């Protein structure tokens, strides 16, 4: 498998000097075809991949190399913007791309894989497990038996890492028996988003916010990840996981950590992750009656999204008709430390919501004395999607007589501010970090386990107190009870 030279670099940085094999288990799945291959194509097109890098997709389907390349091209054309798809670049990328049919559960197939790869001990090998988590342990063990887990090998694990603390610990122990922690990359694609990283820049590179980024000045924080989509073709997985395991345990808790963490002593993997773990360990436990008071589960019923009728969750493909899985979660969270004592964090995620939006709202407290009568308190809104932007709401005088105030926004649209540069997809950045061995934006073992340790009692409380999901119509803002979570304290969601 020989790759042609990459195109001249278009982003003003040198191409990688690392000779690397990228092996993608689950190579015919949606993640590989919709996210990973388009991201790798963009990196190739921009000259970020070593000329000798090889990409090998692995799955059970009996595709030939040519057939898989044709499949990959169709999917990439559908995912990549028309202006970004270049025929010459694709041919160069396809020269890197190979396919190997195998069963990840069969140890003998790993022996065949070792022969296919050949002896290249000097090369970095990255094993990306875009598979169900129940295959993680077997794949790691089979790689070791086949002699494919040498000191330069790295493994990438997609979420969720298990479905509970015990299962996460079992997976981590099995992976750790083969790969030391420095070579394990637990990926959360939210951490690769430009705006998420800008959150750290906003906090730690600007003197403006740090003095007021604390309980004395902030009333509350909202973190929302809302989707208009349903479960699509993930019904079988989602019905076992639910929104808590699928979204809260990883995406939302990671965002909370970045909002609440202290400044690391330096910007490297261990220092950043040390501070995130401290936040997870400071989360006030929720159990018993607290689960009923401070959490809301929901499940969408039939409704309209964009004028189109959509079915209820329990009529989705591969979902049980009597399913008790939640498609919506809202939680009131408290952090027991000096910076955040008494400040509620409201987390919310849901499918089939009224709008697609991932955003973080920092609601400041009002001024101590309202000199000009009524006015709104300042707030900082950090939008992750659909657009990436940061806006700060301030009070200003309305033109004309008197001192009538009006909220105005200082608005940073990242797409406009950096319009001369192509916006990287999160997977592009994270895949490049894996190849370079930079684990700053990946979760460490103790992070994953600390998150599960906090999540498990909530799920157990739901079952112990028979807290079934509250129905909400598709196209709404979730169950009414989620509004009450804030309104009883005089607050409201920023919808």
């Amino acid at each position: 498998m020989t790759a042609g030279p990459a195109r001249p670099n278009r982003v003003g940085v040198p191409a990688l000097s690392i000779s690397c094999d990228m092996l993608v288990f689950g190579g015919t799945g949606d993640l590989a075809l919709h996210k990973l291959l388009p991201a790798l194509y963009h990196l190739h097109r921009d000259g970020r991949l070593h000329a000798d890098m090889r990409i090998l997709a692995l799955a059970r389907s009996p595709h030939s190399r040519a057939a898989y390349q044709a499949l990959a091209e169709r999917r990439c054309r559908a995912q990549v913007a028309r202006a970004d798809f270049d025929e010459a670049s694709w041919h160069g990328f396809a020269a890197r791309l190979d396919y190997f049919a195998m069963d990840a559960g069969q140890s003998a197939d790993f022996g065949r894989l070792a022969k296919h790869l050949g002896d290249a001990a000097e090369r970095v090998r990255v094993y990306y497990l875009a598979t169900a988590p129940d295959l993680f342990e077997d794949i790691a063990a089979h790689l070791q038996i086949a002699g494919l887990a040498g000191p330069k090998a790295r493994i990438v694990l997609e979420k969720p890492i298990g479905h509970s603390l015990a299962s996460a610990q079992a997976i981590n122990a099995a992976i750790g028996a083969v790969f030391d922690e420095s070579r394990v990359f637990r990926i959360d694609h939210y951490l690769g988003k430009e705006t998420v990283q800008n959150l750290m820049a906003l906090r730690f590179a600007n003197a403006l916010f740090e003095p007021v980024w604390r309980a004395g000045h902030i009333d509350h924080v909202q973190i929302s990840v809302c989707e208009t989509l349903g479960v699509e073709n993930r019904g079988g997985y989602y019905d076992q996981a639910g929104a808590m395991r699928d979204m809260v345990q990883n995406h939302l808790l990671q965002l909370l950590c970045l909002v609440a963490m202290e400044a690391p002593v330096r910007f490297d993997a261990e220092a950043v992750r040390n501070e995130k773990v401290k936040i997870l360990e400071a989360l006030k436990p929720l159990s018993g009656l607290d689960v009923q008071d401070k959490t809301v589960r929901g499940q969408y019923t039939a409704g309209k999204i964009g004028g189109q009728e959509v079915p209820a969750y329990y009529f989705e493909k591969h979902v049980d008709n009597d399913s008790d899985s939640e498609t919506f979660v809202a939680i009131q969270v408290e952090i027991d430390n000096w910076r955040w004592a008494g400040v509620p964090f409201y987390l919310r995620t849901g499918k089939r919501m009224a709008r697609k939006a991932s955003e973080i709202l920092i609601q400041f407290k009002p001024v101590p004395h309202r000199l000009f009568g009524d006015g709104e308190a300042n707030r900082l809104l950090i939008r992750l999607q659909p657009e990436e932007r940061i806006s700060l709401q301030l009070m200003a005088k309305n033109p004309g007589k008197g001192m009538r105030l009006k909220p105005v926004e200082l608005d940073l649209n990242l797409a406009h501010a950096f319009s001369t540069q192509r916006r990287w997809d999160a997977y592009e950045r994270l895949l490049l970090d894996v190849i370079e061995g930079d684990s700053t934006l990946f979760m460490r073992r103790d992070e994953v386990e600390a998150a599960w340790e906090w999540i498990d009692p909530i799920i157990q409380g739901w079952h112990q107190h028979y807290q079934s999901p509250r129905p909400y119509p598709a196209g709404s803002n979730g169950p009414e009870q989620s509004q009450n979570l804030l309104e009883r304290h005089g607050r409201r969601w920023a919808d």
Side-chain angles (χ1 to χ4, degrees):
M1 185 165 57
T2 304
R7 275 177 54 165
N9 195 303
R10 306 196 313 174
V11 292
V13 290
L16 289 176
S17 59
I18 298 173
S19 183
C20 171
D21 291 336
M22 175 76 70
L23 287 81
V24 181
F25 288 87
T28 57
D30 285 347
L31 175 61
L33 293 171
H34 290 173
K35 293 294 185 182
L36 304 183
L37 290 184
L40 289 167
Y41 161 75
H42 274 129
L43 292 173
H44 165 85
R45 192 203 60 178
D46 287 345
R48 299 307 307 269
L49 302 182
H50 190 281
D52 194 33
M53 179 176 168
R54 306 184 299 180
I55 302 167
L56 181 62
L58 310 164
R60 288 181 294 183
S61 303
H63 291 299
S64 66
R65 181 182 183 188
Y68 184 78
Q69 288 176 340
L71 172 64
E73 181 177 0
R74 289 195 301 273
R75 296 297 182 89
C76 281
R77 283 183 182 273
Q79 296 298 316
V80 173
R82 183 173 298 180
D84 287 342
F85 194 90
D86 177 79
E87 296 288 347
S89 291
W90 177 258
H91 289 306
F93 177 74
R96 302 180 182 275
L97 184 60
D98 200 356
Y99 180 81
F100 187 79
M102 64 173 292
D103 186 338
Q106 298 296 320
S107 181
D109 281 3
F110 286 78
R112 294 194 303 109
L113 175 62
K115 291 180 181 178
H116 180 80
L117 291 172
D119 184 17
E122 76 285 356
R123 295 175 69 87
V124 170
R125 282 189 176 140
V126 175
Y127 302 108
Y128 198 116
L129 273 53
T131 67
D134 56 11
L135 287 173
F136 290 176
E137 298 176 49
D138 286 345
I139 291 174
H142 295 332
L143 288 170
Q144 184 179 42
I145 293 169
L148 294 172
K152 288 193 174 183
R154 299 167 189 163
I155 192 165
V156 184
L157 307 180
E158 271 285 341
K159 64 94 177 172
I161 309 297
H163 54 82
S164 64
L165 175 59
S167 60
Q169 289 172 328
I171 290 173
N172 283 331
I175 298 297
V178 180
F179 297 87
D180 60 68
E181 184 63 26
S182 66
R183 297 187 288 130
V184 181
F185 293 78
R186 299 172 188 84
I187 194 167
D188 183 339
H189 73 273
Y190 264 67
L191 298 184
K193 290 180 178 292
E194 199 73 57
T195 323
V196 173
Q197 293 172 67
N198 258 312
L199 176 59
M200 286 192 282
L202 185 78
R203 288 196 56 196
F204 304 133
N206 297 285
L208 176 66
F209 289 110
E210 182 57 26
V212 296
W213 206 268
R214 58 191 67 247
H217 298 276
I218 292 177
D219 179 79
H220 72 279
V221 177
Q222 297 179 26
I223 301 176
S224 295
V225 178
C226 302
E227 302 175 90
T228 55
L229 293 175
V231 296
E232 305 304 301
N233 58 353
R234 299 170 69 231
Y237 154 75
Y238 198 90
D239 207 35
Q240 297 298 315
M244 178 66 88
R245 294 184 176 97
D246 185 55
M247 295 293 293
V248 178
Q249 187 273 337
N250 37 76
H251 295 334
L252 272 73
L253 287 186
Q254 284 293 308
L255 293 178
L256 181 147
C257 287
L258 294 179
V259 171
M261 64 188 269
E262 298 296 327
V265 294
R266 58 190 172 275
F267 189 65
D268 67 22
E270 295 313 304
V272 170
R273 297 191 294 185
N274 286 344
E275 297 304 329
K276 290 198 291 176
V277 169
K278 290 176 184 177
I279 294 300
L280 292 170
E281 291 176 342
L283 294 179
K284 187 174 181 179
L286 291 177
S287 59
L289 293 178
D290 280 343
V291 173
Q292 294 188 17
D293 292 340
K294 296 183 178 181
T295 75
V296 177
R297 298 177 79 201
Q299 186 184 99
Y300 64 81
T301 58
K304 285 188 176 183
I305 300 286
Q308 299 291 321
E309 293 283 350
V310 296
Y313 170 73
Y314 46 79
F315 286 142
E316 297 278 17
K317 189 177 181 181
H318 302 308
V319 171
D320 289 341
N321 293 144
D322 58 351
S323 174
D324 194 43
S325 296
E326 74 280 354
T327 62
F328 175 97
V329 175
I331 312 178
Q332 180 182 328
V333 181
E334 295 177 40
I335 300 173
D336 277 344
N337 64 16
W338 277 33
R339 181 183 289 266
W340 296 111
V343 177
F345 285 69
Y346 297 99
L347 311 184
R348 175 180 62 163
T349 185
K351 290 190 173 295
R352 293 296 191 203
M353 302 283 281
R355 64 190 181 110
K356 177 181 179 179
S358 296
E359 56 193 28
I360 300 165
L361 173 73
I362 313 295
Q363 180 66 60
F364 292 95
K365 292 180 178 179
V367 294
H369 173 61
R370 300 195 176 188
L371 182 63
F372 306 113
D374 291 339
E376 297 183 22
N378 305 130
R379 68 180 193 177
L380 179 69
L381 185 62
I382 303 164
R383 289 196 177 98
L384 311 180
Q385 63 180 22
E387 74 276 14
E388 293 183 317
R389 65 197 309 156
I390 300 170
S391 60
L392 176 63
Q393 178 182 285
L394 304 173
M395 298 306 296
K397 178 185 176 298
N398 223 355
K401 186 178 183 304
M403 287 297 294
R404 291 179 299 112
L405 302 184
K406 177 182 179 180
V408 296
E409 291 190 351
L410 300 180
D411 196 3
L412 170 61
N413 185 310
L414 295 174
H416 293 166
F418 302 99
S419 58
T420 60
Q421 301 179 29
R422 181 181 66 83
R423 306 295 291 167
W424 279 36
D425 177 78
Y427 278 101
E428 294 176 51
R429 183 174 297 102
L430 295 174
L431 286 170
L432 202 57
D433 283 350
V434 174
I435 294 168
E436 294 179 333
D438 183 353
S439 55
T440 304
L441 298 177
F442 296 81
M443 291 179 288
R444 202 167 60 193
R445 174 175 180 166
D446 53 348
E447 273 186 83
V448 173
E449 294 178 4
W452 277 119
E453 189 171 3
W454 186 76
I455 290 289
D456 273 0
I458 299 176
I459 297 175
Q460 293 164 8
W462 286 345
H463 296 309
Q464 289 170 359
H465 297 284
Y466 305 102
Q467 191 170 336
S468 297
R470 309 281 187 170
Y472 65 96
S476 69
N477 287 318
E480 292 181 5
Q481 290 78 5
S482 72
Q483 306 295 335
N484 298 337
L485 199 63
L486 278 74
E487 287 178 356
R488 67 191 180 197
H489 300 293
R491 304 180 177 110
R492 61 181 182 180
W493 291 109
D495 290 322

